[in-house]
């Protein structure tokens, strides 16, 4: 599929590769292969029990966490710049759309997992504050006979602008959190924000704590996605919402070819030139291919106990927003 | 069906780009190594090489401190010149030995104490003085990644490691003026497109005064010496540490620089 294209055969390899790759990608490299003879299956199951994928490479599960950590440690400083360059700024629209789908109200407790550099958290705070300002304006318009002092006082009451809304940014990587905190300071976000170092597969929070759980472009890097989903289910309050913004499978074949071309030919080069890091960006595009498609991920979310699971594909399926409720 | 799928998956692993820090993990050993010609090799398509060339050239001009970009530019554009260089090395007896034995210049392979004990004026002492005065180390050279031939990868690695030797031979410091002069020398000697581009576009960032000195005196001197001297990659520097620098310069036909440039 995409892998052959990063070699000199690019241009001459046929669709055969892509069909084969697509066919065997869905079961993933860790589940046992159907149809193999029983004896061989027992042996191969044992060996494959601790194997998983790291991009197109096969690694042991213990190793994957460490390797992913190293990738993000190395890209942290240029993470935002590279996001803008790679997606031509479109990632901002995707994240904005996630917030619009979330439609939080004042008082929402948000947990943003793998939210390292704080993009979702800042957008959440901006949303709440913008809502508050609109509400204030509406209130003031209905009160016709206020004096100037009273109006000024209403506007000055910044303390309550969040009205109890709070966002916890949780990430497994210290470097990413560091960048996030620096950004928060630079952009002036002081209240309503907490930064926690934690593993998505084992969250350091009690049960039933949050109204909304989001994970944007993070879940494909988790070694055991099912565990992360179960943890999400655990920490959400009953009635809470799970939202996941992640790269997904492109449906349109023409877009798919262009997307593969761009991913495998251009992105690692960009990574090398801008961030001095070819390999991390090669991992990034490979890990996107390894992530399950929209329907399969929907089923995984349902398996974790969520209900009313829906998804919405954006930009022809390059990303998808999956949503589920804990009822 | 299973073996068929596994069979088709295996060749796709040719295009992985993770050599990994240690090859002692058995799970990874089978999946990496096939298709990688040398440990740090990253196989690239023609399109990627073109994009890398453009990107690295732009970035090197935009940010002159990105030496790694200059190195990448050299790797992606040097295919033909490296082949010519390699053939030239093969024809020379000392050069053929270098290709055979593949010596590397780095802090781990150099015996600094022994070098320091050699007489004043020898190549070793001048080289060490150059490293001290300019505060550089031979270990800052990036490994070759984008050359798709293992011997040529060594040739360009050798060229990079010999670069400091050239500074010593020519008596040039590592500031931008000195680097440009050495680039002109290397451009004439090796014909690498990266050297030619560096020599032509490097002066863009120079002041008018420096530019004047460069064009009127330093470049003609560098070009003359480059033409006169035999291929500098053919010198087995590791065997010539005791040779007095003056004698080596005479052997290569390198004259003193017309104006002394301060570090």
């Amino acid at each position: 599929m995409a892998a052959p294209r990063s070699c000199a055969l690019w241009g001459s390899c046929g669709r055969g590769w892509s069909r084969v790759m697509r066919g065997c990608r869905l079961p993933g490299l860790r589940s046992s292969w159907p149809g193999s003879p029983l004896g061989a299956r027992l042996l191969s199951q044992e060996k494959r029990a601790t194997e998983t994928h790291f991009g197109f490479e096969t690694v042991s599960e213990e190793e994957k966490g460490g390797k992913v950590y190293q990738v993000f440690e190395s890209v942290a400083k240029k993470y935002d710049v590279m996001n803008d360059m790679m997606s031509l700024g479109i990632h901002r629209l995707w994240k904005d759309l996630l917030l619009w789908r979330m439609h939080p109200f004042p008082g929402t407790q948000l947990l943003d997992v793998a939210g390292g550099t704080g993009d979702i958290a800042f957008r959440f705070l901006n949303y709440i504050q913008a809502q508050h300002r609109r509400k204030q304006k509406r209130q003031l318009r209905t009160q016709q006979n206020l004096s100037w002092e009273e109006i000024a006082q209403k506007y000055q009451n910044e303390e309550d602008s969040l009205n109890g809304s709070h966002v916890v940014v949780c990430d497994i990587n210290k470097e990413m959190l560091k960048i996030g905190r620096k950004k928060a300071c630079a952009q002036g976000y002081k209240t309503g924000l907490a930064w926690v170092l934690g593993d998505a597969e084992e969250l350091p929070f009690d049960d039933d704590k949050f109204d909304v759980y989001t994970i944007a472009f993070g879940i494909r890097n988790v070694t055991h996605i099912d565990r992360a989903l179960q943890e999400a289910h655990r920490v959400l309050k009953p009635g809470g919402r799970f939202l996941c913004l992640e790269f997904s499978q492109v449906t349109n074949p023409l877009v798919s070819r262009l997307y593969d071309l761009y991913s495998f030919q251009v992105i690692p080069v960009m990574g090398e030139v801008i961030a001095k890091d070819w390999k991390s960006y090669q991992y990034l595009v490979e890990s996107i291919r390894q992530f399950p498609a929209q329907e399969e991920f929907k089923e995984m979310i349902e398996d974790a106990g969520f209900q009313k699971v829906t998804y919405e594909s954006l930009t022809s399926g390059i990303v998808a927003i999956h949503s589920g409720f804990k009822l | 069906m299973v073996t068929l799928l596994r069979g088709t998956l295996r060749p796709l692993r040719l295009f992985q780009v993770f050599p990994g820090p240690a090859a002692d993990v058995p799970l990874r050993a089978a999946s990496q190594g096939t298709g990688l010609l040398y440990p740090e090799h990253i196989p690239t398509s023609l399109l990627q090489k073109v994009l890398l060339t453009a990107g690295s050239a732009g970035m090197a001009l935009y940010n002159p401190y990105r030496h790694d970009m200059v190195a990448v530019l050299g790797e992606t554009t040097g295919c033909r010149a490296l082949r010519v260089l390699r053939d030239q090395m093969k024809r020379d007896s000392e050069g053929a030995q270098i290709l055979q034995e593949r010596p590397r210049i780095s802090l781990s392979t150099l015996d600094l104490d022994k070098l320091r004990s050699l007489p004043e004026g020898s190549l070793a002492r001048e080289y060490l003085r150059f490293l001290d005065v300019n505060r550089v180390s031979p270990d800052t050279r990036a490994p070759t990644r984008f050359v798709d031939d293992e011997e040529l990868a060594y040739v360009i690695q050798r060229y990079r490691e010999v670069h400091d030797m050239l500074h010593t031979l020519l008596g040039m410091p590592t500031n931008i003026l000195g680097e440009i002069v050495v680039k002109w020398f290397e451009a004439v000697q090796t014909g690498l497109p990266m050297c030619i581009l560096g020599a032509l576009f490097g002066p863009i960032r120079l002041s008018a005064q420096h530019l004047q000195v460069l064009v009127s005196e330093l470049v003609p001197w560098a070009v003359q010496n480059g033409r006169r001297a035999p291929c500098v990659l053919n010198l087995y520097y590791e065997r010539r540490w005791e040779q007095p620098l003056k004698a080596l310069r005479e052997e290569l036909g390198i004259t003193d620089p017309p104006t002394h440039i301060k570090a």
Side-chain angles (χ1 to χ4, degrees), chain A residues 56-57 63 264-265 272, chain B residues 16 18 28 45 48 145:
Chain A
F56 289 154
E57 208 183 324
E63 266 191 301
F264 283 88
Q265 302 296 313
E272 178 61 36
Chain B
Q16 284 168 14
F18 281 96
R28 213 184 316 139
S45 67
Q48 283 177 318
R145 279 171 303 162

Side-chain angles (χ1 to χ4, degrees), chain A residues 21-90:
Chain A
M21 198 52 201
R22 223 164 267 150
C24 62
R25 186 188 40 242
L26 284 182
L29 289 166
R30 57 193 124 138
S31 48
S32 58
W33 299 95
S36 64
L38 193 59
R41 176 195 273 197
L42 283 176
L43 216 65
S44 54
Q45 229 177 7
E46 234 176 76
K47 218 178 112 181
R48 255 179 229 93
T50 52
E51 268 183 32
T52 181
H53 51 79
F54 179 71
F56 289 154
E57 208 183 324
T58 307
V59 298
S60 72
E61 284 183 350
E62 296 91 45
E63 266 191 301
K64 176 163 179 177
K67 291 191 83 149
V68 172
Y69 191 94
Q70 277 169 11
V71 166
F72 281 95
E73 200 176 32
S74 125
V75 304
K77 291 209 175 71
K78 299 268 177 167
Y79 187 72
D80 293 321
V81 170
M82 282 300 296
N83 277 350
D84 275 330
M85 301 247 59
M86 290 191 291
S87 67
L88 306 170
I90 302 177

Side-chain angles (χ1 to χ4, degrees), chain B residues 65-108:
Chain B
Y65 291 102
R66 290 290 300 269
H67 300 299
D68 61 305
M69 287 288 102
V70 179
V72 167
L73 185 62
E75 286 171 33
T76 52
T77 54
C79 210
R80 202 176 297 163
L82 283 176
R83 242 174 264 150
V84 169
L85 265 178
R86 189 257 316 263
D87 294 338
Q88 211 178 34
M89 283 175 83
K90 272 207 175 125
R91 285 195 292 266
D92 181 88
S93 62
E94 215 172 330
Q97 257 186 344
I98 296 175
L99 279 180
Q100 189 92 354
E101 292 169 25
R102 307 259 178 114
R104 298 286 299 265
I105 304 177
S106 73
L107 281 178
S108 52

Side-chain angles (χ1 to χ4, degrees), chain A residues 1 3-10 17 20-21 23-24 29 33-36 44 47-48 50-51 54 56-60 63 67 70-71 78 261 264-266 268-269 272-276 278-280 282-283 286, chain B residues 1-2 4-9 11-13 15-22 25 27-28 31-32 39-49 51-56 58-59 65-69 72 145-146 148:
Chain A
M1 190 193 91
R5 287 172 197 183
S6 56
C7 79
L9 288 177
W10 154 247
W17 279 124
V20 164
M21 198 52 201
C24 62
L29 289 166
W33 299 95
S36 64
S44 54
K47 218 178 112 181
R48 255 179 229 93
T50 52
E51 268 183 32
F54 179 71
F56 289 154
E57 208 183 324
T58 307
V59 298
S60 72
E63 266 191 301
K67 291 191 83 149
Q70 277 169 11
V71 166
K78 299 268 177 167
L261 169 65
F264 283 88
Q265 302 296 313
V266 181
V269 174
E272 178 61 36
V273 172
I274 299 176
K276 227 191 274 197
W278 176 289
K279 293 176 187 172
S280 295
Q282 183 77 31
Y283 161 73
E286 290 177 358
Chain B
M1 158 80 168
V2 173
L4 190 73
L5 275 175
R6 292 206 10 228
T8 45
L9 265 188
L12 290 174
R13 297 230 169 79
F15 312 113
Q16 284 168 14
V17 298
F18 281 96
V25 179
L27 283 168
R28 213 184 316 139
S31 64
Q32 63 112 21
E40 293 286 331
H41 187 208
I42 297 179
T44 41
S45 67
L46 180 61
L47 176 59
Q48 283 177 318
K49 286 206 173 66
L51 291 171
L52 263 179
T53 305
S56 60
M59 185 55 100
Y65 291 102
R66 290 290 300 269
H67 300 299
D68 61 305
M69 287 288 102
V72 167
R145 279 171 303 162
F146 302 112
D148 292 330

Side-chain angles (χ1 to χ4, degrees), chain A residues 185-203:
Chain A
C185 270
Q187 293 178 20
Y189 294 101
K190 294 189 204 82
T191 51
L193 207 51
W195 305 86
V196 175
L197 190 68
D199 185 348
E201 296 181 24
E202 233 184 287
L203 290 170

Side-chain angles (χ1 to χ4, degrees), chain B residues 191-208:
Chain B
L192 280 167
M194 175 263 285
C195 297
I196 297 173
L197 287 171
L200 290 174
F201 288 101
I204 283 180
R205 288 181 167 256
L206 281 180
S207 68

Side-chain angles (χ1 to χ4, degrees), chain A residues 48-217:
Chain A
R48 255 179 229 93
T50 52
E51 268 183 32
T52 181
H53 51 79
F54 179 71
F56 289 154
E57 208 183 324
T58 307
V59 298
S60 72
E61 284 183 350
E62 296 91 45
E63 266 191 301
K64 176 163 179 177
K67 291 191 83 149
V68 172
Y69 191 94
Q70 277 169 11
V71 166
F72 281 95
E73 200 176 32
S74 125
V75 304
K77 291 209 175 71
K78 299 268 177 167
Y79 187 72
D80 293 321
V81 170
M82 282 300 296
N83 277 350
D84 275 330
M85 301 247 59
M86 290 191 291
S87 67
L88 306 170
I90 302 177
H91 74 105
R92 296 167 186 241
L93 290 176
W94 292 330
K95 289 171 182 162
D96 286 340
L97 214 69
L98 180 69
L99 259 296
W100 293 335
R101 291 290 170 267
M102 193 198 299
H103 190 43
F105 49 85
T108 300
Q109 306 295 305
L110 171 66
L111 172 64
D112 182 24
V113 177
T117 52
D119 280 343
I120 302 292
F122 300 152
R123 282 180 168 75
F124 172 78
L125 293 173
N126 289 345
Y127 195 100
I128 301 279
Q129 277 168 350
Q131 241 183 9
H132 179 80
R133 257 178 258 130
R134 281 197 301 267
K135 186 170 151 201
Q136 253 187 342
K137 263 200 193 149
R138 274 200 303 269
Q139 272 179 341
L140 284 173
R141 254 187 251 132
T142 61
Q143 294 166 353
Q144 298 292 320
N145 294 320
L146 286 180
S147 66
W148 281 117
E149 289 90 15
E150 283 169 296
I151 295 177
Q153 207 181 40
K154 289 234 170 186
Y155 274 117
Q156 267 163 21
N157 230 346
E158 273 223 34
E159 273 296 342
D160 284 302
S161 70
L162 291 176
N163 220 335
S165 322
H166 187 83
V167 54
V168 176
V169 181
C170 178
D171 200 293
I172 197 172
N173 196 301
K174 263 189 222 155
E175 292 303 313
M176 297 289 279
L177 280 177
K178 256 196 237 172
I179 302 287
R181 286 169 71 163
K182 240 195 270 177
K183 269 168 72 177
C185 270
Q187 293 178 20
Y189 294 101
K190 294 189 204 82
T191 51
L193 207 51
W195 305 86
V196 175
L197 190 68
D199 185 348
E201 296 181 24
E202 233 184 287
L203 290 170
F205 306 109
D206 284 331
D207 300 2
D208 304 338
K209 277 213 84 166
F210 297 97
D211 294 310
V212 186
Y213 173 111
T214 52
I215 183 164
F217 301 121

Side-chain angles (χ1 to χ4, degrees), chain A residues 254-325:
Chain A
L254 174 65
V255 175
S256 173
R257 280 194 84 150
L258 289 172
Y259 180 53
D260 287 344
L261 169 65
Y262 181 72
S263 296
F264 283 88
Q265 302 296 313
V266 181
I267 287 186
V269 174
M270 252 193 226
E272 178 61 36
V273 172
I274 299 176
K276 227 191 274 197
D277 196 345
W278 176 289
K279 293 176 187 172
S280 295
Y281 291 92
Q282 183 77 31
Y283 161 73
L284 180 130
V285 295
E286 290 177 358
S287 67
I288 293 176
R289 298 299 176 296
Q290 295 288 31
F291 192 71
Q294 286 90 326
E295 272 298 325
E296 194 187 336
F297 189 49
K298 173 177 170 213
E299 283 165 25
M300 287 170 80
I301 300 177
E302 282 169 350
D303 285 342
F306 289 100
Q307 288 168 37
K308 296 262 184 256
V309 181
T310 55
Y311 61 85
E312 184 187 344
S313 292
L314 309 172
T315 328
S316 308
I318 295 181
V319 293
I321 297 181
H322 280 76
S323 159
F325 289 90

